[in-house]
Amino acid sequence: MKKTITFAVISTAIIFLGGCVKQNATDSVPQSQPEQTESTVSEKSCQADSDCACGRRIETKECFFGNAKYVDPLLRPCPDFCTGIDGRFRTKCVNGECRQVRSSPQP
């Protein structure tokens, strides 16, 4: 009886450790970087300030700034994210990319 239990414990340990080693071996294999698709490139692209917006991303509903076609205007806004705590951030097109920039204070 003792031999059967010992055999079962050793077999289970070998199966368990074999699975862990196999998992670690696949984790260490370097994976190639995914190619940038047009959607990842264009989500921040712009030609004018009007192309840019800040609000909630259509797909994930997370706060986001970038090209206006990726922002859902019907969802609740993200005021601290979009304008900053002091209200001085603006989303503008800078060198073909939507960016958040700090505006100067109004006199």
Side-chain angles (χ1 to χ4, degrees):
M1 182 71 156
K2 235 180 183 182
K3 289 182 181 180
T4 306
I5 293 173
T6 305
F7 178 74
V9 169
I10 291 174
S11 298
T12 304
I14 290 172
I15 291 170
F16 176 74
L17 292 175
C20 290
V21 170
K22 193 177 217 180
Q23 177 66 33
N24 290 337
T26 58
D27 288 345
S28 65
V29 175
Q31 297 179 358
S32 62
Q33 293 283 338
E35 290 184 30
Q36 286 189 338
T37 62
E38 187 173 326
S39 64
T40 58
V41 173
S42 65
E43 71 183 12
K44 296 282 186 179
S45 66
C46 61
Q47 293 181 358
D49 288 345
S50 60
D51 294 339
C52 300
C54 187
R56 297 206 176 258
R57 184 188 285 270
I58 292 172
E59 302 89 22
T60 63
K61 313 297 186 247
E62 294 177 340
C63 292
F64 165 79
F65 70 91
N67 192 293
K69 70 178 184 178
Y70 294 94
V71 176
D72 189 338
L74 302 176
L75 295 177
R76 63 184 165 88
C78 302
D80 288 343
F81 179 82
C82 291
T83 60
I85 293 174
D86 62 359
R88 293 178 43 200
F89 278 144
R90 301 290 177 259
T91 305
K92 295 194 170 265
C93 184
V94 179
N95 296 328
E97 181 179 18
C98 294
R99 296 188 186 182
Q100 283 185 309
V101 296
R102 185 172 292 281
S103 62
S104 58
Q106 299 294 327

